[in-house]
Amino acid sequence: MSTVSRLPGIVTTDHVFQVPLDHSAPEGERIEVYAREVVAAGREQDDLPWLLFLQGGPGGKSPRPLGRDAWLDRALDDYRVLLLDQRGTGRSTPATRQTLARRGGAQEQADYLAHFRADSIVCDAEFIRHRLLGADRRWSLLGQSFGGFCTLTYLSFFPEGLTEAFVTGGLAGLTTGADDVYRATYRQVARKNEDHYARFPGDVEAVRRIAAHLAGAPASLPGGGLLTVEAFQALGLMLGGGSGSGSLHHLLEEAWVEGVAGPELSDTFLAGAQAQLSFAGGPLYAVLHESIYGQRSVDGGAATAWAAERVRKEFPQFDARSALEGDGPVLFTGEMIYPWMFDTDPALRPLKEAAELLAARTEWPALYDPARLAANTVPVTAAVYHDDMYVATADSLATARAVRGLRAWVTNEWEHDGLRVSGGKVLDRLIKMAHGEA
């Protein structure tokens, strides 16, 4: 029986579905996928259109609403919303170091995890639509970041299930491989570093001091992880959000305390770094991150093979140890996953061998159907963030041109987290564009 709960301004209903692990073998193993239905209080009995929300990631669970907050407030004016915990996340059957150990060795784990990409997520959504709404009723779709990648997959293979689609910061390159993705994003991350140091010029020396200390003596994090100079650079993931630069600056401000033997990195700083760097709450983000770009139609069967690590060598300005030999800034990195993370993070260490096998995997199915997207009839509107650090703007604009009927709103008013922080303004604009009101 579904559980119904009430929070300020909303009524939620829990749903759990038994879906095939492999949708091409529907009689085989099944896993659970959880979804939370949300409707405005007082409208529980109304016949509202449905809006499915696909979260960013990969490996991120859906938001946990506390009321009519953020973009959800705007959505509930028009829709009954379904917040999907994508397979492996949240209250769906989890995929973590604890649960994956039960599946056997690294090869068994990797084979299992190969079913956790956008193609499987979209098949789950279609399975749920048939069970929840019925085969003849369609729903609207909102995809944020990786959820936008999934939206393109949905439009490629099941457009008959969609009334309309909204994408925020998630128009992936349809024919872009992992290497090209990182060549573009390293350039954008370098610009974000320039912007950060222009805003906080004192951080140049502050970062060099911390990096020099860690280059000589990596620090232990409260959760058992190891803060190396490369892990410290990975705090640059914060620079992609609207308030990220300021938050990073404030973290750096409290980096040092005077200990018994002299200056040492403070517990406050180490705890803050731990909160940003640990994958304990979402290991799939690290394990599957490069796999979301693997597809036969793009690379002809080539493995992603730790693309971010390989491409980094083409950008020597990100070598912290070389930077410390001069007097220039140490650059932070961005949304990149590196093989050493599976050594420094306790939540990832048991998954290292499986991650290596996924990085070497060549048999990835296509995620998009360019021909079908070129003939698309589903109304699509998309917010493309001009300075997006996570999704290359050039790829997004090329995809916007390739999808028939897609209307793009290119803006520098918001960063990648615009959907969450705009108070519903981003979603409102996309809805009005889709409905001919903007």
Side-chain angles (χ1 to χ4, degrees):
M1 179 178 292
S2 299
T3 301
V4 177
S5 303
R6 293 183 177 273
L7 289 162
I10 63 173
V11 178
T12 70
T13 305
D14 297 337
H15 298 278
V16 178
F17 303 90
Q18 304 288 329
V19 306
L21 170 66
D22 181 354
H23 283 273
S24 68
E27 302 307 316
E29 179 181 352
R30 298 217 156 200
I31 59 174
E32 286 189 350
V33 171
Y34 167 82
R36 178 181 278 110
E37 174 189 340
V38 187
V39 65
R43 304 193 69 184
E44 300 93 313
Q45 305 306 316
D46 291 0
D47 185 20
L48 297 167
W50 285 76
L51 175 68
L52 171 68
F53 177 66
L54 295 179
Q55 168 71 17
K61 65 185 179 183
S62 214
R64 272 38 186 168
L66 299 175
R68 290 193 59 151
D69 42 24
W71 63 266
L72 186 60
D73 182 48
R74 172 61 185 90
L76 291 175
D77 286 344
D78 296 341
Y79 301 95
R80 186 182 301 268
V81 176
L82 193 69
L83 302 174
L84 182 70
D85 278 358
Q86 296 166 19
R87 54 170 54 200
T89 75
R91 291 177 60 183
S92 297
T93 299
T96 67
R97 64 173 180 84
Q98 295 165 301
T99 63
L100 289 168
R102 301 199 306 266
R103 302 205 69 89
Q107 188 64 63
E108 290 77 14
Q109 294 175 20
D111 290 343
Y112 177 75
L113 290 169
H115 296 293
F116 283 71
R117 300 194 315 148
D119 45 353
S120 296
I121 292 167
V122 165
C123 286
D124 290 344
E126 266 298 273
F127 182 97
I128 291 168
R129 181 180 69 88
H130 281 247
R131 298 302 186 278
L132 198 59
L133 280 67
D136 296 331
R137 187 170 183 185
R138 299 181 294 170
W139 54 15
S140 301
L141 177 57
L142 170 60
Q144 157 65 16
S145 191
F146 172 69
F149 293 22
C150 295
T151 300
L152 292 169
T153 303
Y154 213 135
L155 289 164
S156 293
F157 299 112
F158 303 108
E160 67 277 6
L162 299 177
T163 302
E164 59 193 355
F166 313 113
V167 176
T168 55
L171 289 182
L174 301 180
T175 57
T176 304
D179 286 31
D180 291 330
V181 166
Y182 291 112
R183 287 190 182 99
T185 51
Y186 272 120
R187 295 186 183 98
Q188 183 65 352
V189 172
R191 289 191 286 270
K192 291 293 185 181
N193 274 271
E194 291 174 8
D195 292 345
H196 176 81
Y197 285 132
R199 187 175 296 116
F200 302 108
D203 282 2
V204 173
E205 186 53 39
V207 170
R208 284 180 58 86
R209 183 186 178 193
I210 296 169
H213 176 81
L214 293 172
S220 297
L221 293 171
L226 191 65
L227 186 64
T228 62
V229 64
E230 290 80 13
F232 172 56
Q233 288 178 275
L235 289 173
L237 181 66
M238 301 169 68
L239 295 176
S243 61
S245 179
S247 297
L248 177 59
H249 170 70
H250 293 315
L251 179 61
L252 298 172
E253 281 185 319
E254 299 182 276
W256 298 96
V257 293
E258 195 67 31
V260 173
E264 59 184 73
L265 292 174
S266 70
D267 286 347
T268 299
F269 170 76
L270 294 173
Q274 162 80 14
Q276 294 295 329
L277 298 174
S278 173
F279 289 100
L284 285 184
Y285 181 94
V287 176
L288 291 177
H289 203 274
E290 292 196 356
S291 299
I292 69 175
Y293 301 112
Q295 52 175 334
R296 190 180 308 114
S297 60
V298 170
D299 52 36
T304 55
W306 300 115
E309 176 79 357
R310 289 185 293 99
V311 172
R312 182 173 178 163
K313 295 179 176 65
E314 301 174 19
F315 296 87
Q317 64 267 43
F318 286 94
D319 186 334
R321 298 169 198 276
S322 294
L324 290 171
E325 293 175 0
D327 56 4
V330 171
L331 299 189
F332 293 98
T333 53
E335 193 183 32
M336 291 87 179
I337 298 299
Y338 302 106
W340 54 258
M341 291 176 170
F342 291 81
D343 296 316
T344 60
D345 188 339
L348 297 181
R349 283 177 197 145
L351 304 178
K352 181 177 180 177
E353 291 184 52
E356 292 282 2
L357 291 170
L358 288 170
R361 193 180 186 96
T362 58
E363 294 303 312
W364 294 116
L367 293 169
Y368 313 116
D369 185 338
R372 198 164 193 181
L373 291 171
N376 172 63
T377 59
V378 177
V380 185
T381 56
V384 177
Y385 303 119
H386 186 270
D387 300 316
D388 201 323
M389 191 179 82
Y390 305 119
V391 181
T393 305
D395 286 344
S396 294
L397 295 178
T399 295
R401 292 189 293 270
V403 179
R404 181 176 180 269
L406 188 151
R407 298 181 64 199
W409 166 41
V410 184
T411 177
N412 62 0
E413 183 177 359
W414 310 103
E415 294 279 358
H416 190 78
D417 57 355
L419 178 68
R420 179 174 58 83
V421 303
S422 68
K425 293 179 181 177
V426 167
L427 179 58
D428 182 66
R429 174 68 176 262
L430 295 183
I431 291 173
K432 287 179 177 178
M433 287 172 61
H435 298 171
E437 300 169 8

